[in-house]
């Protein structure tokens, strides 16, 4: 394949050799429409496609965001109401989503199954190019006005409720306005996601026109990644989509914001019921073109130097200033737009301290410039970037990461390969720093100190702000008639069921596409000095990962609740004679990362485990050096630094409060589940409302409280001298033996340990006794036979519902059927009634087989009582029909979806951790294969029995609702009648 060669309906525009990604970049231009396609071809079996559209907003009505939802709600070839959910049901995708950015909208999908890949692409491509865009879809996904039973009118809609949730989040508001304030003359001054009050003003015709203008092949770029042949994909894309279009003028790119001569000051408000809450201030700079790789990398390194760690000078200045509680999480570089921005903020402050904060930052930057960056900090930061680039990361497809890099330049009509190489730019920075040891100080001076294009944004709590986002609609008589007519048609649409023929048009995999055998991870178990170490020899790109699991079951119970703050403080403190900011530099020089976290769970055998995980990673050639430092650090870490403890304590509390709104569904489910097993109780105690209440009972300004906390943390630290520890190493096969020998030198002996004995006294087993079968006749180890019902009141405009009930445990056939049932009702009854009809942003059903519970939750939900009833009805719909609404096709889709989650490619780090935890909890490969076999043989009766079993448990389900004060008042009668305990939180 050569440049300018014609292949089918495309011209080869460029060929790029990409050794850092073991592949070749191929740029094609569709001759008829001008649509560009970039295929990063390599041997990765996880293939990804992404349709990328430039979608420049003209206001804050949220049109790009609503279209992102709506194009996936029915198209010409696939006219069902929600093809996206039908795909979710019958695909083994590893990633499937749609995402709105400030200037683009993307539609990516990934899978390791080729047939699945083309299925996904066929539906997504038809959706974006040939959507039906029914008015009813606009009313459902965007915004509508509907009449209530009492004759009043209110606004409703999925995106409308989603953005109400976003504007209930203090940090989201701060981030939004920190960015928008820098762009008074460009489209970035608008919220592409939509502001709730402006979403209300959006009309259907404006919505249609935006799609017509922007969703055309001439305005589309298609990114492809993986090992499927380029020509095969080009032919598919042309025949299915592009050949039906002629060339059209593409949307104009974002204009560059001209620099302004003076800073802009802006005040905004976050939700508060009583005027109490967090105040934050940010200073934000416009920092130049984001499409120049060398300059952008330099700015990213500068940002890390300034505030990236506790050893960074600007972080230290803010931390030690006394002007607020901690560095705002809305701090750092943002390079996701045409021009970059840098922000630094303070959280837990007072609006009257704004000018003092501005002076502090200005003076600190001048001092840093004049003094220069610490050499160890600079070297550690450069190593961090090099380490991050080398590491094979997990969590999401590699193709998605590369698509984002590619679009950084490509979206603005520059070379798509511009950001696909890292090494040349990093080498240039290394060379530049050697030649000019003031390089980063000069960038600091030009980009920040001498740059007046900045904004100072203050976000403070205001109890009057809630009235600014009201669902109530006041209408004249003529408008009421129009609204009633629209809503009547909308209700008919929602009640209408898709035909079996239309559903059958959605391509799905066959049963033969499902792998019958599970994927396994090879592991060697070593025993020396009575200790067990698990060795995972895999390709890691020269990085070694180490996990240490310390048994915490012998700690005094009163100490265990402090394990989360212990874990955070451990990484952020210093050593005797070495302050925390100096140890932070050493961590940067010697490791690629270090963290601690408490974990708990129930084993296959019914035993409760509690342990503290320590995890560190390093370059393999530096492993001995890294291990020596880490073990010296954990034994000698300074827990007497009360000033540092006070800072970390405040950061922890602030971060936890921020999680309540951002992850309200998880927090609610955790609280509802706490009475079912000791492990669930401990999870909630460590990560839920109980932890927050415990922390907020401590006064960090009281020296006695801090001293008492420090003493407790020092007692916890004694577990590092314990011999009850399991270690896990993941490294290259040719280096893992040496790493093991180095690690063993630092581990204490357990002379009484024998192969096959439980590693933890509470029941951690190795493969030597993994053949034991689980005793599923045991109870769920209930702490107390108590159904809990709780309403948690926070400043929010939307709600988070949960219900948790007893279910089957791992080892039984029933748990497999309950898992399949969860997929069926989540993507069926729950999605249709809670999301599509009810307007919630998200809904889920899940089976936790290790703990023996089944959970429901909803996210950013305008309803409470209605949703709780729907949770029950999702089970009853199957039970009452005696299973007639089930069929082999529905069950097969559930199996495909479930297996797809199990075969997702994982990174080397994830492989080691996942397999180690399987061994610790007793989940052996025989059991996993048994579950796969049961799943593949599931019948309608099995699923019906599961629904009946859970339905019988539902009456005793525990429930938790996180709600705002106004929603609580609306549903107060429901809460009182059902005897909900009420907890009010100030966050």
């Amino acid at each position: 394949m050569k440049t300018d060669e014609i292949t089918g309906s495309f011209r080869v525009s460029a060929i790029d050799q990409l050794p850092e990604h073991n592949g070749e970049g191929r740029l094609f231009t569709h001759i008829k429409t001008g649509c560009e396609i970039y295929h990063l071809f390599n041997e990765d079996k996880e293939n990804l496609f992404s349709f990328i559209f430039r979608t420049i907003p003209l206001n804050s009505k949220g049109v790009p965001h609503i279209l992102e939802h709506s194009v996936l709600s029915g198209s010409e070839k696939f006219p069902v109401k929600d093809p996206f959910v039908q795909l979710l049901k019958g695909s083994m995708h590893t990633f499937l989503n749609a995402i709105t950015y400030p200037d683009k909208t993307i539609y990516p999908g990934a899978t390791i199954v080729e047939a699945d890949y083309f299925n996904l692409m066929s539906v997504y491509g038809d959706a974006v190019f040939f959507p039906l865009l029914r008015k009813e879809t606009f009313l459902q996904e965007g915004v509508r006005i509907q009449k209530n039973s009492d004759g009043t009118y209110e606004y409703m809609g999925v995106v409308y409720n989603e953005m109400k949730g976003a504007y209930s989040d203090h940090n989201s508001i701060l981030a939004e306005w920190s960015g928008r304030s820098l762009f008074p003359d460009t489209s970035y001054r608008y919220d592409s996601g939509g502001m709730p009050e402006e979403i209300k003003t959006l009309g259907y015709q404006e919505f249609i026109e935006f799609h017509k203008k922007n969703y055309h092949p001439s305005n589309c770029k298609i990114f492809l990644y993986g090992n499927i042949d380029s020509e095969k994909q080009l032919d598919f894309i042309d025949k299915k989509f592009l050949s039906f279009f002629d060339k059209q003028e593409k949307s104009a790119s974002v204009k560059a914001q001209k620099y302004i001569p003076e800073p802009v000051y802006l005040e905004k408000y976050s939700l508060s019921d009583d005027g109490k809450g967090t105040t934050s201030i940010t200073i934000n700079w416009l920092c130049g073109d984001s499409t120049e790789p060398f300059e952008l990398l330099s700015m990213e390194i500068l940002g890390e130097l300034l505030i990236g760690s506790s050893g960074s000078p600007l972080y230290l200045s803010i931390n030690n200033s006394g002007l607020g509680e901690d560095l705002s999480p809305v701090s750092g570089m943002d390079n996701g737009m045409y021009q970059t921005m840098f922000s630094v903020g303070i959280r837990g402050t007072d609006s009257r301290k704004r000018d003092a904060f501005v002076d502090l930052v200005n003076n600190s930057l001048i001092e840093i410039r004049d003094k220069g960056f610490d050499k160890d900090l600079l070297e550690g930061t450069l190593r961090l970037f090099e380490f991050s680039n080398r590491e094979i990361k997990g969590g999401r497809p590699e193709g998605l990461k590369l698509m984002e890099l590619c679009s950084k330049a490509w979206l603005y009509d520059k070379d798509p390969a511009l950001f696909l190489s890292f090494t040349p730019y990093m080498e240039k920075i290394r060379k530049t720093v050697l030649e000019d040891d003031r390089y980063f100080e000069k960038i600091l001076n030009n980009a920040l100190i001498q740059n007046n294009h900045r904004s100072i944004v203050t976000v403070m709590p205001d109890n009057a702000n809630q009235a600014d986002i009201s669902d109530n609609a006041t209408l004249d008589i003529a408008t009421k008639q129009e609204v009633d007519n629209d809503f009547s048609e909308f209700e008919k649409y929602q009640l209408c069921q898709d035909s079996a023929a239309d559903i059958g048009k959605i391509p799905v995999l066959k049963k033969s596409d499902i792998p019958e055998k599970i994927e396994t991870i090879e592991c060697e178990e070593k025993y020396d000095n009575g200790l067990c170490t698990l060795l995972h020899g895999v390709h890691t790109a020269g990085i070694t990962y180490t996990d240490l699991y310390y048994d915490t079951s012998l700690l005094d119970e009163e100490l265990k609740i402090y394990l989360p703050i212990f874990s955070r403080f451990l990484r952020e403190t210093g050593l005797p004679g070495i302050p925390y900011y100096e140890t932070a530099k050493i961590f940067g020089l010697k490791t690629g990362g270090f963290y601690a976290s408490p974990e708990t769970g129930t084993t296959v055998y019914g035993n409760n485990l509690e342990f503290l995980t320590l995890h560190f990673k390093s370059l393999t050639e530096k492993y001995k050096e890294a291990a020596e430092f880490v073990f010296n650090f954990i034994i000698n870490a300074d827990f007497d630094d009360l000033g540092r403890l006070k800072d970390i304590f405040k950061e922890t509390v602030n971060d936890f409060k921020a999680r309540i709104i951002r992850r309200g569904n998880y927090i609610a489910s955790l609280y509802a589940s706490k009475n079912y097993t000791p492990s669930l109780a401990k999870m909630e105690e460590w990560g839920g409302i109980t932890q927050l209440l415990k922390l907020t009972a401590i006064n960090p300004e009281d020296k006695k409280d801090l001293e008492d906390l420090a003493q407790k943390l020092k007692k916890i630290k004694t577990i590092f001298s314990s011999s009850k520890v399991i270690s896990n190493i993941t490294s290259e096969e040719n280096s893992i033996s040496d790493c093991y020998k180095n690690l063993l030198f630092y581990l204490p002996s357990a002379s009484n340990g024998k192969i096959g004995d439980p590693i933890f006294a509470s029941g951690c087993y190795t493969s030597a006794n993994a053949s034991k079968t689980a005793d599923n006749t045991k109870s769920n180890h209930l702490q107390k036979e108590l159904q809990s019902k709780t309403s948690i009141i926070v400043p929010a405009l939307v709600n988070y519902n949960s219900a948790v009930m007893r279910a089957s445990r791992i080892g039984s056939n029933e748990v497999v059927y309950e898992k399949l049932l969860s997929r069926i009702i989540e993507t069926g009854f729950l999605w249709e009634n809670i999301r599509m009809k009810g307007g919630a942003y998200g809904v889920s059903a899940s089976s936790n087989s290790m703990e023996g519970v089944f959970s429901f939750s909803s996210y950013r939900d305008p309803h409470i009582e209605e949703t709780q009833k729907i949770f029950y009805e999702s089970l009853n719909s199957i039970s009452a029909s005696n299973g007639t609404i089930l069929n082999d096709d529905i069950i097969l889709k559930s199996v495909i979806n479930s297996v797809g989650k199990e075969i997702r490619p994982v990174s080397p780090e994830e492989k080691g951790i996942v397999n180690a935890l399987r061994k610790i909890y007793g989940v052996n490969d025989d059991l996993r294969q048994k579950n796969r076999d049961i799943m593949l043989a599931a019948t309608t009766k099995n699923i019906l029995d599961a629904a009946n079993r859970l339905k019988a448990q539902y009456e005793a389900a525990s429930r938790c609702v996180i709600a705002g004060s106004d929603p609580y008042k609306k549903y107060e009668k429901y809460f009182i009648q059902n005897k909900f305990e009420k907890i009010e939180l100030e966050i």
Side-chain angles (χ1 to χ4, degrees):
M1 193 175 293
K2 299 178 181 178
T3 303
D4 290 330
E5 179 181 323
I6 302 298
T7 174
S9 300
F10 295 84
R11 176 181 289 107
V12 181
S13 300
I15 300 290
D16 305 306
Q17 298 307 313
L18 302 171
E20 292 185 34
H21 307 295
N22 300 311
E24 183 176 84
R26 303 165 179 174
L27 178 63
F28 305 94
T29 302
H30 189 244
I31 296 169
K32 187 179 180 186
T33 65
C35 177
E36 292 184 335
I37 299 178
Y38 194 81
H39 186 191
L40 202 166
F41 180 83
N42 60 16
E43 293 306 312
D44 194 339
K45 66 179 181 179
E46 185 181 26
N47 287 271
L48 175 139
F49 66 83
S50 182
F51 296 94
I52 306 168
F53 295 92
R54 187 183 287 159
T55 50
I56 311 299
L58 303 175
N59 48 52
S60 293
K61 297 178 183 180
V63 192
H65 189 186
I66 296 169
L67 267 172
E68 174 224 305
H69 285 241
S70 300
V71 299
L72 296 172
S73 296
S75 64
E76 290 182 6
K77 289 184 181 177
F78 309 107
V80 298
K81 290 193 288 186
D82 206 330
F84 177 72
V85 173
Q86 297 299 329
L87 277 179
L88 288 176
K89 292 177 180 180
S91 162
M92 287 194 286
H93 59 274
T94 55
F95 190 87
L96 193 65
N97 208 341
I99 308 168
T100 303
Y101 293 82
D103 53 14
K104 65 178 178 285
T105 307
I106 66 169
Y107 297 87
T111 178
I112 64 171
V113 181
E114 183 171 323
D116 198 24
Y117 179 81
F118 285 106
N119 287 349
L120 297 175
M121 187 188 286
S122 66
V123 176
Y124 259 47
D126 204 64
V128 298
F129 291 123
F130 311 107
L132 298 178
L133 296 181
R134 308 173 179 98
K135 185 170 185 179
E136 292 84 358
T137 299
F138 168 73
L139 298 175
Q140 174 182 286
E141 298 298 320
V143 64
R144 63 182 180 272
I145 303 174
Q146 62 186 43
K147 188 176 183 179
N148 296 319
S149 56
D150 62 1
T152 61
Y153 289 82
E154 68 175 351
Y155 289 93
M156 188 65 64
V158 173
V159 170
Y160 174 68
N161 286 314
E162 178 186 350
M163 298 313 295
K164 279 170 61 183
Y167 280 87
S168 297
D169 185 332
H170 175 89
N171 289 329
S172 292
I173 295 169
L174 182 65
E176 183 65 33
W177 286 107
S178 293
R180 291 168 62 182
S181 60
L182 290 173
F183 299 94
D185 306 316
T186 79
S187 63
Y188 292 138
R189 69 185 184 272
Y190 302 122
D191 184 349
S192 62
M195 297 181 68
E197 285 305 294
E198 292 202 39
I199 291 174
K200 294 177 183 180
T201 68
L202 177 62
Y204 177 60
Q205 196 56 42
E206 182 179 349
F207 163 81
I208 292 293
E209 289 300 321
F210 193 90
H211 179 273
K212 183 178 179 180
K213 176 183 178 183
N214 295 288
Y215 280 68
H216 187 279
S218 301
N219 194 50
C220 179
K221 299 180 187 299
I222 304 174
F223 178 84
L224 309 173
Y225 172 85
N227 67 358
I228 298 177
D229 182 71
S230 295
E231 285 87 348
K232 184 176 183 179
Q233 297 198 62
L234 294 176
D235 184 61
F236 183 90
I237 292 168
D238 176 56
K239 288 180 178 177
K240 293 283 186 178
F241 318 122
L242 305 186
S243 61
F244 296 95
F245 293 88
D246 294 314
K247 185 172 288 189
Q248 173 181 296
E249 183 179 354
K250 62 183 177 182
S251 300
S253 185
V254 178
K255 295 179 181 178
Q257 172 64 52
K258 294 180 180 179
Y259 280 73
I260 57 177
E262 298 293 334
V264 172
Y265 289 82
L266 189 66
E267 290 186 349
K268 292 293 176 180
Y269 301 93
S270 59
L271 201 61
S272 171
D273 291 329
D274 53 10
K276 296 180 181 178
T278 300
T279 292
S280 298
I281 304 169
T282 59
I283 308 175
N284 317 281
W285 289 264
L286 190 68
C287 294
D289 191 340
S290 68
T291 64
E292 298 297 332
F294 178 71
E295 286 75 11
L296 182 59
L297 181 57
S298 297
M299 277 302 305
E300 289 173 339
I301 292 171
L302 175 65
E304 187 72 18
L305 283 168
L306 289 171
I307 58 172
S309 75
S310 53
S312 300
L314 185 55
Y315 169 90
L316 284 167
S317 292
I318 295 171
N319 187 64
N320 297 331
S321 68
L323 294 175
E325 294 185 344
D326 64 332
L327 186 76
S328 168
V330 185
S331 297
M333 287 293 302
D334 184 342
N335 55 27
M337 298 179 288
Y338 182 54
Q339 290 166 289
T340 62
M341 56 175 283
F342 178 75
S343 299
V344 61
I346 192 166
R347 178 169 61 175
T349 184
D350 188 307
S351 59
R352 293 168 294 185
K353 296 179 180 179
R354 183 194 66 186
D355 292 344
F357 177 64
V358 171
D359 289 343
L360 169 77
V361 171
N362 287 337
N363 293 334
S364 296
L365 293 177
I366 292 170
E367 183 180 350
I368 293 166
R369 178 200 62 190
D370 294 345
K371 185 179 178 181
F373 287 105
D374 178 271
K375 300 307 178 187
D376 284 344
L377 175 66
L378 175 58
E379 178 59 29
T381 302
L382 295 178
R383 289 186 187 183
L384 173 69
F385 277 77
E386 291 166 335
F387 187 99
S388 179
N389 182 67
R390 178 192 287 199
E391 187 174 18
I392 303 169
K393 298 181 180 67
R396 58 182 187 154
E398 180 71 7
L400 186 67
K401 180 186 76 172
L402 297 179
M403 180 276 295
E404 291 174 345
L405 287 175
C406 187
S407 66
K408 285 166 67 69
W410 197 21
L411 184 75
Y412 310 114
D413 301 320
K414 295 195 175 185
D415 182 359
L418 199 58
F419 284 91
L420 294 177
S421 295
F422 170 83
T423 303
Y425 303 114
M426 194 68 209
E427 288 177 347
K428 183 178 178 181
I429 283 177
R430 284 281 191 184
K431 184 174 182 292
T432 303
V433 169
L434 280 175
E435 295 172 350
D436 182 359
D437 63 1
R438 297 279 300 170
Y439 174 65
F440 284 104
E441 287 81 359
K442 291 175 181 176
I443 297 177
L444 169 61
N445 184 68
N446 295 332
L448 302 184
I449 295 173
Q450 299 299 328
N451 179 8
N452 277 332
H453 190 125
R454 63 182 79 177
S455 66
I456 295 87
V457 177
T458 305
V459 174
M460 61 195 87
D462 180 17
N463 58 0
N465 186 54
Q466 191 158 342
D468 294 340
I469 306 177
S470 172
D471 293 338
N472 298 328
T474 303
L475 311 174
D476 57 35
I477 294 175
T479 306
K480 284 181 181 180
Q481 185 62 49
E482 181 183 350
V483 166
D484 289 345
N485 290 338
D486 280 348
F487 189 65
S488 176
E489 292 301 310
F490 175 71
E491 285 188 305
K492 291 177 185 177
Y493 165 77
Q494 288 207 312
L495 291 172
C496 179
Q497 295 295 310
D498 293 319
S499 71
D502 284 342
I503 292 175
K505 294 175 183 177
I506 302 289
V508 297
L509 294 175
K510 302 183 294 293
K511 190 170 184 178
S512 59
D513 293 317
I514 305 172
E516 294 182 358
K517 298 297 181 182
I518 60 165
E519 294 184 356
T520 60
I521 300 172
E522 294 297 318
C523 174
E524 181 183 4
E525 296 178 19
K526 301 280 284 187
Y527 295 87
D528 282 288
N529 300 332
L531 296 171
C532 174
T533 302
L534 307 173
L535 305 180
H536 294 92
V538 298
H539 173 56
T540 62
I543 293 172
T544 296
Y545 303 94
T546 305
D547 309 285
L548 302 161
Y549 304 102
Y550 288 91
D551 184 11
T552 59
S553 63
L554 300 180
L555 284 175
D556 290 343
E557 199 62 37
E558 66 166 25
L559 294 177
K560 291 179 183 178
I561 197 168
Y562 299 102
L563 279 165
I565 185 71
F566 172 86
S567 300
R568 182 153 182 172
F569 186 57
L570 178 67
R571 173 60 181 88
E572 298 290 344
T573 190
L575 288 163
I578 306 177
Y580 68 89
Y581 47 86
E582 294 297 335
T583 59
K585 297 174 190 175
I586 302 173
F587 268 113
L589 289 168
K590 295 183 181 291
T591 76
F594 169 86
Y595 70 78
S597 65
E599 296 188 38
T600 182
T602 304
T603 70
V604 167
Y605 315 99
N607 302 295
N608 169 239
L609 294 185
E610 298 171 8
F611 49 93
L612 182 75
T613 298
L614 288 186
H615 176 85
F616 70 93
K617 54 189 174 182
S618 70
L619 296 176
T620 300
E621 63 263 29
K622 301 288 185 181
Y623 184 75
K624 183 177 180 179
E625 184 181 349
E628 180 181 22
F629 172 69
V630 167
F631 280 95
N632 175 64
F633 179 80
I634 64 175
I635 295 298
N636 298 300
D638 182 8
F639 279 72
D640 290 317
D641 187 345
L642 296 186
R644 186 59 178 155
L645 178 57
K646 177 180 175 180
D647 293 337
I648 296 302
F649 181 87
K650 289 180 177 180
E651 287 181 20
T652 302
V653 172
N654 285 333
D655 287 347
F656 206 104
K657 288 180 177 180
R659 287 177 64 212
I660 302 294
I661 298 296
R662 192 153 292 180
R663 300 191 64 195
N665 54 333
Y666 170 76
I667 299 294
S669 295
L670 203 57
Y671 196 84
S673 69
K674 67 187 178 70
N675 288 338
Y676 287 95
T677 70
S679 296
L680 290 171
K682 193 61 67 177
M683 287 181 200
E684 199 285 324
E685 185 179 284
W686 285 341
I689 298 300
T690 302
Q691 177 71 193
L692 180 60
L693 295 175
K694 184 69 175 180
L695 293 179
T696 52
I698 298 172
N699 180 6
E701 304 300 333
D702 187 320
K703 185 179 179 182
K704 186 177 182 305
D705 275 12
L706 277 179
E707 289 174 339
D708 182 60
L709 177 59
Q711 288 302 312
K712 288 181 170 67
L713 301 188
K714 281 194 277 189
K715 289 178 182 178
I716 292 174
K717 196 175 70 160
T718 60
I719 65 168
F720 296 139
S721 301
S722 169
S723 61
K724 291 188 178 299
V725 58
I726 298 172
S727 53
N728 176 46
I729 303 175
T730 305
S731 188
E732 305 283 355
E733 287 189 15
N734 61 2
S735 60
I736 199 165
S737 179
D738 287 341
C739 292
Y740 172 58
K741 291 175 184 176
N742 284 318
L743 177 66
L744 200 61
F745 179 79
Y746 296 102
L747 293 176
S749 297
S751 57
N752 62 340
K754 293 180 292 186
I755 295 176
D757 282 350
I759 302 299
F760 293 163
S762 49
C764 175
Y765 290 80
T766 70
S767 62
N769 59 5
S771 59
K772 294 181 181 179
T773 56
D775 180 3
N776 287 295
T777 62
K778 292 182 179 181
S779 73
N780 278 341
H781 299 276
L782 288 179
Q783 283 195 311
K784 41 189 172 181
E785 296 287 343
L786 178 66
Q787 176 191 42
S788 67
K789 295 179 182 178
T790 312
S791 58
I792 299 171
I793 313 306
V794 298
L797 296 166
V798 285
N799 312 300
Y800 306 86
N801 289 282
S802 70
V804 180
M805 72 199 78
R806 201 188 320 277
S808 303
R809 282 206 71 238
I810 191 168
S812 66
N813 293 11
E814 287 73 21
V815 78
V816 179
Y817 307 136
E818 289 170 11
K819 179 178 181 179
L820 293 176
L821 174 66
S822 74
R823 307 307 305 146
I824 290 169
I825 60 176
E826 178 180 299
T827 57
F829 193 92
L830 294 174
W831 183 273
E832 292 168 10
N833 288 279
I834 292 177
R835 190 194 180 279
M836 293 176 68
K837 294 180 182 178
Y841 181 44
V843 63
S844 72
S846 62
S847 167
N848 183 338
S849 62
M850 300 301 291
E851 303 302 326
V853 296
F854 193 95
S855 305
F856 294 96
S857 69
S858 68
Y859 183 74
R860 293 184 180 177
D861 190 345
H863 304 297
I864 294 175
E865 181 178 5
E866 300 89 336
T867 294
Q868 293 287 336
K869 289 179 179 177
I870 293 168
F871 288 159
Y872 171 78
E873 285 301 322
S874 68
L875 301 171
N876 188 55
S877 65
I878 294 175
S879 177
S881 73
N882 200 31
T884 57
I885 63 174
L886 299 172
N887 57 48
D888 291 344
D889 180 62
I890 289 173
I891 295 173
L892 175 60
K893 287 178 179 178
S894 179
V895 173
I896 291 170
N897 185 271
S898 298
V899 173
K901 294 181 180 300
E902 296 175 3
I903 65 173
R904 177 184 67 85
V906 294
S907 69
E909 180 179 25
E910 289 173 320
K911 282 184 180 178
I913 292 174
V914 166
N915 202 50
L917 291 176
R918 283 175 183 164
K919 287 184 172 292
I920 287 172
Y921 286 111
V923 183
N924 61 54
D925 290 337
D926 289 342
L927 177 56
R928 295 176 57 236
Q929 184 62 56
K930 173 191 169 188
N931 287 345
R932 176 70 59 83
D933 295 341
I934 294 168
M935 187 175 287
L936 290 170
T939 66
T940 297
K941 184 179 184 306
N942 298 144
I943 307 303
L944 173 62
D945 289 345
N948 286 330
R949 194 165 51 249
L950 292 172
K951 177 185 171 183
Q953 291 289 340
Y954 192 87
E955 187 176 343
S958 291
R959 295 164 199 171
C960 180
V961 175
I962 296 179
S965 57
D966 280 0
Y968 178 84
K969 292 171 186 173
K970 179 179 177 180
Y971 289 96
E972 189 167 17
K973 183 178 179 181
Y974 168 79
F975 287 127
I976 292 172
Q977 287 179 341
N978 288 276
K979 299 179 180 179
F980 273 68
E981 175 193 5
K982 183 180 179 182
I983 298 175
E984 297 189 63
L985 292 179
E986 288 185 7
I987 61 172

